[in-house]
PDB file of all heavy atoms in Angstrom:
ATOM      1  N   LEU A 200      76.991 105.488 126.926  1.00 62.00           N
ATOM      2  CA  LEU A 200      78.242 105.255 126.240  1.00 62.00           C
ATOM      3  C   LEU A 200      79.204 104.421 127.017  1.00 62.00           C
ATOM      4  O   LEU A 200      80.137 103.963 126.486  1.00 62.00           O
ATOM      5  CB  LEU A 200      78.879 106.568 125.855  1.00 62.00           C
ATOM      6  CG  LEU A 200      78.109 107.486 124.881  1.00 62.00           C
ATOM      7  CD1 LEU A 200      78.832 108.870 124.745  1.00 62.00           C
ATOM      8  CD2 LEU A 200      77.967 106.808 123.544  1.00 62.00           C
ATOM      9  N   GLU A 201      79.061 104.344 128.334  1.00 55.00           N
ATOM     10  CA  GLU A 201      80.009 103.619 129.116  1.00 55.00           C
ATOM     11  C   GLU A 201      80.190 102.219 128.650  1.00 55.00           C
ATOM     12  O   GLU A 201      79.258 101.558 128.323  1.00 55.00           O
ATOM     13  CB  GLU A 201      79.562 103.577 130.603  1.00 55.00           C
ATOM     14  CG  GLU A 201      80.615 103.029 131.580  1.00 55.00           C
ATOM     15  CD  GLU A 201      81.818 103.817 131.516  1.00 55.00           C
ATOM     16  OE1 GLU A 201      81.827 105.023 131.603  1.00 55.00           O
ATOM     17  OE2 GLU A 201      82.916 103.237 131.400  1.00 55.00           O
ATOM     18  N   GLY A 202      81.443 101.856 128.532  1.00 50.00           N
ATOM     19  CA  GLY A 202      81.785 100.544 127.991  1.00 50.00           C
ATOM     20  C   GLY A 202      81.723 100.461 126.469  1.00 50.00           C
ATOM     21  O   GLY A 202      81.696  99.330 126.003  1.00 50.00           O
ATOM     22  N   GLY A 203      81.710 101.591 125.854  1.00 55.00           N
ATOM     23  CA  GLY A 203      81.703 101.642 124.353  1.00 55.00           C
ATOM     24  C   GLY A 203      82.911 100.947 123.753  1.00 55.00           C
ATOM     25  O   GLY A 203      83.742 100.441 124.507  1.00 55.00           O
ATOM     26  N   GLN A 204      82.996 100.933 122.506  1.00 55.00           N
ATOM     27  CA  GLN A 204      83.993 100.139 121.795  1.00 55.00           C
ATOM     28  C   GLN A 204      85.399 100.288 122.390  1.00 55.00           C
ATOM     29  O   GLN A 204      85.912 101.348 122.448  1.00 55.00           O
ATOM     30  CB  GLN A 204      83.965 100.440 120.329  1.00 55.00           C
ATOM     31  CG  GLN A 204      82.627 100.128 119.633  1.00 55.00           C
ATOM     32  CD  GLN A 204      82.721 100.264 118.130  1.00 55.00           C
ATOM     33  OE1 GLN A 204      83.669  99.833 117.515  1.00 55.00           O
ATOM     34  NE2 GLN A 204      81.732 101.007 117.577  1.00 55.00           N
ATOM     35  N   ARG A 205      85.981  99.203 122.729  1.00 63.00           N
ATOM     36  CA  ARG A 205      87.357  99.094 123.235  1.00 63.00           C
ATOM     37  C   ARG A 205      88.032  97.979 122.446  1.00 63.00           C
ATOM     38  O   ARG A 205      87.541  96.858 122.474  1.00 63.00           O
ATOM     39  CB  ARG A 205      87.427  98.834 124.711  1.00 63.00           C
ATOM     40  CG  ARG A 205      88.824  98.731 125.270  1.00 63.00           C
ATOM     41  CD  ARG A 205      88.820  98.233 126.669  1.00 63.00           C
ATOM     42  NE  ARG A 205      88.168  99.246 127.608  1.00 63.00           N
ATOM     43  CZ  ARG A 205      88.823 100.297 128.122  1.00 63.00           C
ATOM     44  NH1 ARG A 205      90.105 100.422 127.898  1.00 63.00           N
ATOM     45  NH2 ARG A 205      88.191 101.164 128.915  1.00 63.00           N
ATOM     46  N   PRO A 206      89.200  98.309 121.777  1.00 68.00           N
ATOM     47  CA  PRO A 206      89.874  97.206 120.978  1.00 68.00           C
ATOM     48  C   PRO A 206      90.128  96.033 121.903  1.00 68.00           C
ATOM     49  O   PRO A 206      90.607  96.164 123.071  1.00 68.00           O
ATOM     50  CB  PRO A 206      91.142  97.858 120.527  1.00 68.00           C
ATOM     51  CG  PRO A 206      90.830  99.381 120.498  1.00 68.00           C
ATOM     52  CD  PRO A 206      89.886  99.555 121.659  1.00 68.00           C
ATOM     53  N   ALA A 207      89.901  94.869 121.370  1.00 75.00           N
ATOM     54  CA  ALA A 207      90.153  93.612 122.156  1.00 75.00           C
ATOM     55  C   ALA A 207      91.656  93.394 122.348  1.00 75.00           C
ATOM     56  O   ALA A 207      92.475  93.737 121.449  1.00 75.00           O
ATOM     57  CB  ALA A 207      89.567  92.391 121.497  1.00 75.00           C
ATOM     58  N   PRO A 208      92.127  92.985 123.572  1.00 84.00           N
ATOM     59  CA  PRO A 208      93.572  92.759 123.778  1.00 84.00           C
ATOM     60  C   PRO A 208      94.031  91.541 122.957  1.00 84.00           C
ATOM     61  O   PRO A 208      93.303  90.603 122.766  1.00 84.00           O
ATOM     62  CB  PRO A 208      93.561  92.508 125.259  1.00 84.00           C
ATOM     63  CG  PRO A 208      92.274  91.994 125.621  1.00 84.00           C
ATOM     64  CD  PRO A 208      91.290  92.731 124.747  1.00 84.00           C
ATOM     65  N   VAL A 209      95.264  91.624 122.525  1.00 92.00           N
ATOM     66  CA  VAL A 209      95.894  90.555 121.761  1.00 92.00           C
ATOM     67  C   VAL A 209      97.258  90.372 122.268  1.00 92.00           C
ATOM     68  O   VAL A 209      97.877  91.234 122.858  1.00 92.00           O
ATOM     69  CB  VAL A 209      95.828  90.768 120.202  1.00 92.00           C
ATOM     70  CG1 VAL A 209      94.444  90.870 119.747  1.00 92.00           C
ATOM     71  CG2 VAL A 209      96.684  92.012 119.815  1.00 92.00           C
ATOM     72  N   ASP A 210      97.884  89.270 121.919  1.00 94.00           N
ATOM     73  CA  ASP A 210      99.339  89.006 122.266  1.00 94.00           C
ATOM     74  C   ASP A 210     100.184  89.966 121.386  1.00 94.00           C
ATOM     75  O   ASP A 210     100.059  89.859 120.203  1.00 94.00           O
ATOM     76  CB  ASP A 210      99.676  87.540 122.048  1.00 94.00           C
ATOM     77  CG  ASP A 210     101.127  87.274 122.323  1.00 94.00           C
ATOM     78  OD1 ASP A 210     101.494  87.104 123.541  1.00 94.00           O
ATOM     79  OD2 ASP A 210     101.939  87.293 121.363  1.00 94.00           O
ATOM     80  N   ALA A 211     100.937  90.789 122.056  1.00 94.00           N
ATOM     81  CA  ALA A 211     101.685  91.772 121.306  1.00 94.00           C
ATOM     82  C   ALA A 211     102.693  91.184 120.340  1.00 94.00           C
ATOM     83  O   ALA A 211     102.876  91.677 119.191  1.00 94.00           O
ATOM     84  CB  ALA A 211     102.461  92.788 122.306  1.00 94.00           C
ATOM     85  N   ALA A 212     103.400  90.117 120.713  1.00 96.00           N
ATOM     86  CA  ALA A 212     104.362  89.500 119.885  1.00 96.00           C
ATOM     87  C   ALA A 212     103.724  88.858 118.645  1.00 96.00           C
ATOM     88  O   ALA A 212     104.167  88.936 117.473  1.00 96.00           O
ATOM     89  CB  ALA A 212     105.154  88.509 120.575  1.00 96.00           C
ATOM     90  N   GLN A 213     102.537  88.224 118.861  1.00 97.00           N
ATOM     91  CA  GLN A 213     101.842  87.625 117.751  1.00 97.00           C
ATOM     92  C   GLN A 213     101.315  88.682 116.799  1.00 97.00           C
ATOM     93  O   GLN A 213     101.418  88.443 115.589  1.00 97.00           O
ATOM     94  CB  GLN A 213     100.561  86.857 118.375  1.00 97.00           C
ATOM     95  CG  GLN A 213      99.780  86.123 117.257  1.00 97.00           C
ATOM     96  CD  GLN A 213      98.528  85.479 117.787  1.00 97.00           C
ATOM     97  OE1 GLN A 213      98.126  85.767 118.969  1.00 97.00           O
ATOM     98  NE2 GLN A 213      97.808  84.698 116.983  1.00 97.00           N
ATOM     99  N   ALA A 214     100.835  89.766 117.357  1.00 96.00           N
ATOM    100  CA  ALA A 214     100.341  90.894 116.489  1.00 96.00           C
ATOM    101  C   ALA A 214     101.523  91.524 115.658  1.00 96.00           C
ATOM    102  O   ALA A 214     101.348  91.816 114.496  1.00 96.00           O
ATOM    103  CB  ALA A 214      99.732  91.936 117.248  1.00 96.00           C
ATOM    104  N   ALA A 215     102.643  91.645 116.251  1.00 96.00           N
ATOM    105  CA  ALA A 215     103.849  92.186 115.574  1.00 96.00           C
ATOM    106  C   ALA A 215     104.231  91.319 114.394  1.00 96.00           C
ATOM    107  O   ALA A 215     104.662  91.749 113.342  1.00 96.00           O
ATOM    108  CB  ALA A 215     104.975  92.391 116.580  1.00 96.00           C
ATOM    109  N   ARG A 216     104.255  90.000 114.628  1.00 96.00           N
ATOM    110  CA  ARG A 216     104.619  89.041 113.528  1.00 96.00           C
ATOM    111  C   ARG A 216     103.642  89.126 112.447  1.00 96.00           C
ATOM    112  O   ARG A 216     104.018  89.066 111.281  1.00 96.00           O
ATOM    113  CB  ARG A 216     104.660  87.588 114.124  1.00 96.00           C
ATOM    114  CG  ARG A 216     105.853  87.292 115.007  1.00 96.00           C
ATOM    115  CD  ARG A 216     106.005  85.786 115.219  1.00 96.00           C
ATOM    116  NE  ARG A 216     104.914  85.255 115.978  1.00 96.00           N
ATOM    117  CZ  ARG A 216     104.867  85.222 117.311  1.00 96.00           C
ATOM    118  NH1 ARG A 216     105.894  85.691 118.097  1.00 96.00           N
ATOM    119  NH2 ARG A 216     103.820  84.694 117.963  1.00 96.00           N
ATOM    120  N   ALA A 217     102.341  89.256 112.768  1.00 97.00           N
ATOM    121  CA  ALA A 217     101.338  89.308 111.737  1.00 97.00           C
ATOM    122  C   ALA A 217     101.493  90.626 110.916  1.00 97.00           C
ATOM    123  O   ALA A 217     101.394  90.621 109.747  1.00 97.00           O
ATOM    124  CB  ALA A 217      99.972  89.252 112.393  1.00 97.00           C
ATOM    125  N   LEU A 218     101.786  91.718 111.604  1.00 97.00           N
ATOM    126  CA  LEU A 218     101.939  92.995 110.938  1.00 97.00           C
ATOM    127  C   LEU A 218     103.184  92.978 110.030  1.00 97.00           C
ATOM    128  O   LEU A 218     103.084  93.477 108.843  1.00 97.00           O
ATOM    129  CB  LEU A 218     102.091  94.153 111.920  1.00 97.00           C
ATOM    130  CG  LEU A 218     102.311  95.546 111.361  1.00 97.00           C
ATOM    131  CD1 LEU A 218     101.209  95.907 110.374  1.00 97.00           C
ATOM    132  CD2 LEU A 218     102.492  96.528 112.456  1.00 97.00           C
ATOM    133  N   HIS A 219     104.244  92.297 110.465  1.00 96.00           N
ATOM    134  CA  HIS A 219     105.385  92.145 109.552  1.00 96.00           C
ATOM    135  C   HIS A 219     105.067  91.400 108.304  1.00 96.00           C
ATOM    136  O   HIS A 219     105.500  91.793 107.182  1.00 96.00           O
ATOM    137  CB  HIS A 219     106.506  91.474 110.353  1.00 96.00           C
ATOM    138  CG  HIS A 219     107.746  91.156 109.525  1.00 96.00           C
ATOM    139  ND1 HIS A 219     108.667  92.098 109.252  1.00 96.00           N
ATOM    140  CD2 HIS A 219     108.138  90.027 108.920  1.00 96.00           C
ATOM    141  CE1 HIS A 219     109.609  91.558 108.464  1.00 96.00           C
ATOM    142  NE2 HIS A 219     109.328  90.305 108.241  1.00 96.00           N
ATOM    143  N   GLU A 220     104.309  90.373 108.477  1.00 97.00           N
ATOM    144  CA  GLU A 220     103.902  89.558 107.326  1.00 97.00           C
ATOM    145  C   GLU A 220     103.018  90.336 106.353  1.00 97.00           C
ATOM    146  O   GLU A 220     103.159  90.243 105.134  1.00 97.00           O
ATOM    147  CB  GLU A 220     103.247  88.249 107.774  1.00 97.00           C
ATOM    148  CG  GLU A 220     102.981  87.300 106.549  1.00 97.00           C
ATOM    149  CD  GLU A 220     102.441  85.919 106.974  1.00 97.00           C
ATOM    150  OE1 GLU A 220     102.392  85.681 108.224  1.00 97.00           O
ATOM    151  OE2 GLU A 220     102.087  85.174 106.068  1.00 97.00           O
ATOM    152  N   VAL A 221     102.062  91.052 106.926  1.00 98.00           N
ATOM    153  CA  VAL A 221     101.209  91.935 106.124  1.00 98.00           C
ATOM    154  C   VAL A 221     102.022  92.876 105.317  1.00 98.00           C
ATOM    155  O   VAL A 221     101.831  93.057 104.040  1.00 98.00           O
ATOM    156  CB  VAL A 221     100.220  92.707 106.994  1.00 98.00           C
ATOM    157  CG1 VAL A 221      99.485  93.814 106.243  1.00 98.00           C
ATOM    158  CG2 VAL A 221      99.191  91.691 107.570  1.00 98.00           C
ATOM    159  N   ARG A 222     102.953  93.560 105.917  1.00 97.00           N
ATOM    160  CA  ARG A 222     103.814  94.536 105.240  1.00 97.00           C
ATOM    161  C   ARG A 222     104.603  93.869 104.085  1.00 97.00           C
ATOM    162  O   ARG A 222     104.673  94.483 102.970  1.00 97.00           O
ATOM    163  CB  ARG A 222     104.763  95.199 106.234  1.00 97.00           C
ATOM    164  CG  ARG A 222     104.040  96.255 107.115  1.00 97.00           C
ATOM    165  CD  ARG A 222     104.897  96.700 108.252  1.00 97.00           C
ATOM    166  NE  ARG A 222     104.472  98.016 108.804  1.00 97.00           N
ATOM    167  CZ  ARG A 222     104.713  98.381 110.030  1.00 97.00           C
ATOM    168  NH1 ARG A 222     105.617  97.654 110.821  1.00 97.00           N
ATOM    169  NH2 ARG A 222     104.315  99.503 110.466  1.00 97.00           N
ATOM    170  N   GLU A 223     105.164  92.759 104.319  1.00 96.00           N
ATOM    171  CA  GLU A 223     105.974  92.103 103.293  1.00 96.00           C
ATOM    172  C   GLU A 223     105.099  91.626 102.134  1.00 96.00           C
ATOM    173  O   GLU A 223     105.514  91.764 100.979  1.00 96.00           O
ATOM    174  CB  GLU A 223     106.742  90.894 103.885  1.00 96.00           C
ATOM    175  CG  GLU A 223     107.856  91.236 104.939  1.00 96.00           C
ATOM    176  CD  GLU A 223     108.948  92.074 104.317  1.00 96.00           C
ATOM    177  OE1 GLU A 223     109.195  91.889 103.055  1.00 96.00           O
ATOM    178  OE2 GLU A 223     109.530  92.863 105.011  1.00 96.00           O
ATOM    179  N   LEU A 224     103.909  91.140 102.450  1.00 98.00           N
ATOM    180  CA  LEU A 224     103.011  90.672 101.394  1.00 98.00           C
ATOM    181  C   LEU A 224     102.478  91.893 100.631  1.00 98.00           C
ATOM    182  O   LEU A 224     102.360  91.766  99.372  1.00 98.00           O
ATOM    183  CB  LEU A 224     101.821  89.834 101.961  1.00 98.00           C
ATOM    184  CG  LEU A 224     102.173  88.451 102.410  1.00 98.00           C
ATOM    185  CD1 LEU A 224     100.974  87.887 103.184  1.00 98.00           C
ATOM    186  CD2 LEU A 224     102.482  87.577 101.181  1.00 98.00           C
ATOM    187  N   MET A 225     102.105  93.001 101.288  1.00 98.00           N
ATOM    188  CA  MET A 225     101.733  94.120 100.572  1.00 98.00           C
ATOM    189  C   MET A 225     102.738  94.648  99.633  1.00 98.00           C
ATOM    190  O   MET A 225     102.484  95.047  98.495  1.00 98.00           O
ATOM    191  CB  MET A 225     101.293  95.216 101.562  1.00 98.00           C
ATOM    192  CG  MET A 225     100.062  94.955 102.334  1.00 98.00           C
ATOM    193  SD  MET A 225      98.532  94.933 101.339  1.00 98.00           S
ATOM    194  CE  MET A 225      98.381  96.672 100.993  1.00 98.00           C
ATOM    195  N   TRP A 226     104.010  94.677 100.127  1.00 96.00           N
ATOM    196  CA  TRP A 226     105.132  95.213  99.236  1.00 96.00           C
ATOM    197  C   TRP A 226     105.341  94.309  98.042  1.00 96.00           C
ATOM    198  O   TRP A 226     105.532  94.807  96.890  1.00 96.00           O
ATOM    199  CB  TRP A 226     106.394  95.293 100.094  1.00 96.00           C
ATOM    200  CG  TRP A 226     107.564  95.716  99.287  1.00 96.00           C
ATOM    201  CD1 TRP A 226     108.614  94.964  98.900  1.00 96.00           C
ATOM    202  CD2 TRP A 226     107.728  96.991  98.685  1.00 96.00           C
ATOM    203  NE1 TRP A 226     109.449  95.767  98.095  1.00 96.00           N
ATOM    204  CE2 TRP A 226     108.897  97.001  97.976  1.00 96.00           C
ATOM    205  CE3 TRP A 226     106.960  98.182  98.659  1.00 96.00           C
ATOM    206  CZ2 TRP A 226     109.448  98.102  97.240  1.00 96.00           C
ATOM    207  CZ3 TRP A 226     107.451  99.344  97.939  1.00 96.00           C
ATOM    208  CH2 TRP A 226     108.567  99.241  97.235  1.00 96.00           C
ATOM    209  N   SER A 227     105.354  92.941  98.260  1.00 95.00           N
ATOM    210  CA  SER A 227     105.689  92.017  97.202  1.00 95.00           C
ATOM    211  C   SER A 227     104.483  91.831  96.165  1.00 95.00           C
ATOM    212  O   SER A 227     104.784  91.475  95.043  1.00 95.00           O
ATOM    213  CB  SER A 227     106.222  90.774  97.682  1.00 95.00           C
ATOM    214  OG  SER A 227     105.179  90.120  98.515  1.00 95.00           O
ATOM    215  N   THR A 228     103.291  91.917  96.660  1.00 98.00           N
ATOM    216  CA  THR A 228     102.237  91.500  95.818  1.00 98.00           C
ATOM    217  C   THR A 228     101.139  92.624  95.450  1.00 98.00           C
ATOM    218  O   THR A 228     100.401  92.554  94.538  1.00 98.00           O
ATOM    219  CB  THR A 228     101.388  90.339  96.350  1.00 98.00           C
ATOM    220  OG1 THR A 228     100.720  90.627  97.586  1.00 98.00           O
ATOM    221  CG2 THR A 228     102.389  89.128  96.616  1.00 98.00           C
ATOM    222  N   VAL A 229     101.068  93.685  96.350  1.00 98.00           N
ATOM    223  CA  VAL A 229     100.117  94.794  96.163  1.00 98.00           C
ATOM    224  C   VAL A 229     100.948  96.012  96.054  1.00 98.00           C
ATOM    225  O   VAL A 229     100.550  97.123  96.392  1.00 98.00           O
ATOM    226  CB  VAL A 229      99.124  94.855  97.361  1.00 98.00           C
ATOM    227  CG1 VAL A 229      97.918  95.681  96.861  1.00 98.00           C
ATOM    228  CG2 VAL A 229      98.629  93.529  97.767  1.00 98.00           C
ATOM    229  N   GLY A 230     102.126  95.866  95.476  1.00 97.00           N
ATOM    230  CA  GLY A 230     103.135  96.963  95.392  1.00 97.00           C
ATOM    231  C   GLY A 230     103.148  97.613  93.997  1.00 97.00           C
ATOM    232  O   GLY A 230     102.139  97.734  93.301  1.00 97.00           O
ATOM    233  N   VAL A 231     104.375  97.827  93.525  1.00 97.00           N
ATOM    234  CA  VAL A 231     104.564  98.579  92.308  1.00 97.00           C
ATOM    235  C   VAL A 231     104.004  97.756  91.065  1.00 97.00           C
ATOM    236  O   VAL A 231     103.374  98.341  90.135  1.00 97.00           O
ATOM    237  CB  VAL A 231     106.045  98.885  92.074  1.00 97.00           C
ATOM    238  CG1 VAL A 231     106.289  99.526  90.706  1.00 97.00           C
ATOM    239  CG2 VAL A 231     106.589  99.741  93.192  1.00 97.00           C
ATOM    240  N   VAL A 232     104.220  96.419  91.068  1.00 97.00           N
ATOM    241  CA  VAL A 232     103.728  95.525  90.044  1.00 97.00           C
ATOM    242  C   VAL A 232     102.880  94.435  90.682  1.00 97.00           C
ATOM    243  O   VAL A 232     103.305  93.797  91.661  1.00 97.00           O
ATOM    244  CB  VAL A 232     104.857  94.885  89.268  1.00 97.00           C
ATOM    245  CG1 VAL A 232     104.371  93.957  88.244  1.00 97.00           C
ATOM    246  CG2 VAL A 232     105.709  96.058  88.604  1.00 97.00           C
ATOM    247  N   ARG A 233     101.689  94.167  90.105  1.00 98.00           N
ATOM    248  CA  ARG A 233     100.747  93.183  90.694  1.00 98.00           C
ATOM    249  C   ARG A 233     100.319  92.191  89.636  1.00 98.00           C
ATOM    250  O   ARG A 233     100.346  92.501  88.487  1.00 98.00           O
ATOM    251  CB  ARG A 233      99.490  93.941  91.227  1.00 98.00           C
ATOM    252  CG  ARG A 233      99.872  95.128  92.199  1.00 98.00           C
ATOM    253  CD  ARG A 233      98.820  96.119  92.306  1.00 98.00           C
ATOM    254  NE  ARG A 233      99.209  97.170  93.328  1.00 98.00           N
ATOM    255  CZ  ARG A 233      98.357  98.107  93.646  1.00 98.00           C
ATOM    256  NH1 ARG A 233      97.197  98.268  93.143  1.00 98.00           N
ATOM    257  NH2 ARG A 233      98.799  99.047  94.534  1.00 98.00           N
ATOM    258  N   ASN A 234      99.808  91.072  90.055  1.00 98.00           N
ATOM    259  CA  ASN A 234      99.168  90.095  89.175  1.00 98.00           C
ATOM    260  C   ASN A 234      98.183  89.214  89.961  1.00 98.00           C
ATOM    261  O   ASN A 234      98.220  89.161  91.120  1.00 98.00           O
ATOM    262  CB  ASN A 234     100.229  89.230  88.467  1.00 98.00           C
ATOM    263  CG  ASN A 234     100.974  88.323  89.386  1.00 98.00           C
ATOM    264  OD1 ASN A 234     100.378  87.345  89.922  1.00 98.00           O
ATOM    265  ND2 ASN A 234     102.227  88.681  89.687  1.00 98.00           N
ATOM    266  N   ALA A 235      97.257  88.590  89.177  1.00 98.00           N
ATOM    267  CA  ALA A 235      96.161  87.951  89.817  1.00 98.00           C
ATOM    268  C   ALA A 235      96.613  86.795  90.715  1.00 98.00           C
ATOM    269  O   ALA A 235      96.115  86.618  91.846  1.00 98.00           O
ATOM    270  CB  ALA A 235      95.204  87.392  88.731  1.00 98.00           C
ATOM    271  N   ALA A 236      97.525  85.944  90.244  1.00 98.00           N
ATOM    272  CA  ALA A 236      97.934  84.801  91.093  1.00 98.00           C
ATOM    273  C   ALA A 236      98.491  85.190  92.390  1.00 98.00           C
ATOM    274  O   ALA A 236      98.048  84.625  93.466  1.00 98.00           O
ATOM    275  CB  ALA A 236      98.975  84.019  90.239  1.00 98.00           C
ATOM    276  N   ASP A 237      99.394  86.217  92.474  1.00 98.00           N
ATOM    277  CA  ASP A 237      99.926  86.680  93.710  1.00 98.00           C
ATOM    278  C   ASP A 237      98.884  87.285  94.618  1.00 98.00           C
ATOM    279  O   ASP A 237      98.869  87.051  95.804  1.00 98.00           O
ATOM    280  CB  ASP A 237     101.008  87.689  93.429  1.00 98.00           C
ATOM    281  CG  ASP A 237     102.298  87.089  92.937  1.00 98.00           C
ATOM    282  OD1 ASP A 237     102.388  85.803  92.941  1.00 98.00           O
ATOM    283  OD2 ASP A 237     103.119  87.850  92.403  1.00 98.00           O
ATOM    284  N   LEU A 238      97.908  88.064  93.992  1.00 98.00           N
ATOM    285  CA  LEU A 238      96.874  88.736  94.791  1.00 98.00           C
ATOM    286  C   LEU A 238      95.959  87.701  95.407  1.00 98.00           C
ATOM    287  O   LEU A 238      95.548  87.851  96.587  1.00 98.00           O
ATOM    288  CB  LEU A 238      96.107  89.682  93.910  1.00 98.00           C
ATOM    289  CG  LEU A 238      96.840  90.958  93.467  1.00 98.00           C
ATOM    290  CD1 LEU A 238      96.090  91.710  92.417  1.00 98.00           C
ATOM    291  CD2 LEU A 238      97.141  91.868  94.685  1.00 98.00           C
ATOM    292  N   GLU A 239      95.630  86.668  94.620  1.00 98.00           N
ATOM    293  CA  GLU A 239      94.743  85.592  95.272  1.00 98.00           C
ATOM    294  C   GLU A 239      95.346  84.949  96.392  1.00 98.00           C
ATOM    295  O   GLU A 239      94.710  84.635  97.414  1.00 98.00           O
ATOM    296  CB  GLU A 239      94.337  84.644  94.093  1.00 98.00           C
ATOM    297  CG  GLU A 239      93.358  85.223  93.138  1.00 98.00           C
ATOM    298  CD  GLU A 239      93.182  84.359  91.825  1.00 98.00           C
ATOM    299  OE1 GLU A 239      94.027  83.420  91.727  1.00 98.00           O
ATOM    300  OE2 GLU A 239      92.359  84.645  91.026  1.00 98.00           O
ATOM    301  N   GLN A 240      96.682  84.594  96.258  1.00 98.00           N
ATOM    302  CA  GLN A 240      97.360  83.905  97.367  1.00 98.00           C
ATOM    303  C   GLN A 240      97.459  84.837  98.562  1.00 98.00           C
ATOM    304  O   GLN A 240      97.324  84.397  99.697  1.00 98.00           O
ATOM    305  CB  GLN A 240      98.756  83.473  96.862  1.00 98.00           C
ATOM    306  CG  GLN A 240      98.800  82.381  95.927  1.00 98.00           C
ATOM    307  CD  GLN A 240     100.197  82.001  95.475  1.00 98.00           C
ATOM    308  OE1 GLN A 240     101.194  82.505  95.996  1.00 98.00           O
ATOM    309  NE2 GLN A 240     100.289  81.067  94.476  1.00 98.00           N
ATOM    310  N   THR A 241      97.727  86.110  98.319  1.00 98.00           N
ATOM    311  CA  THR A 241      97.739  87.068  99.475  1.00 98.00           C
ATOM    312  C   THR A 241      96.454  87.193 100.172  1.00 98.00           C
ATOM    313  O   THR A 241      96.354  87.222 101.427  1.00 98.00           O
ATOM    314  CB  THR A 241      98.183  88.466  98.918  1.00 98.00           C
ATOM    315  OG1 THR A 241      99.610  88.389  98.541  1.00 98.00           O
ATOM    316  CG2 THR A 241      98.044  89.480 100.010  1.00 98.00           C
TER     317      THR A 241
END
């Protein structure tokens, strides 16, 4: 088991920006009301 799966390191600021964008897209397009055009773009 030694050396088993370890998450790869990433730039923390870059990951934070990506997570913010994911959250905003999920809220606006995969939220209370959805449609095909928005989902495809997301």
Side-chain angles (χ1 to χ4, degrees):
L200 295 176
E201 187 60 48
Q204 296 186 48
R205 178 187 294 274
V209 297
D210 179 82
Q213 182 188 10
R216 286 192 296 270
L218 179 56
H219 175 78
E220 185 172 355
V221 166
R222 285 170 163 157
E223 293 295 333
L224 284 170
M225 289 292 288
W226 177 250
S227 61
T228 68
V229 199
V231 176
V232 177
R233 306 158 177 184
N234 66 72
D237 287 346
L238 290 167
E239 288 169 351
Q240 290 180 6
T241 290

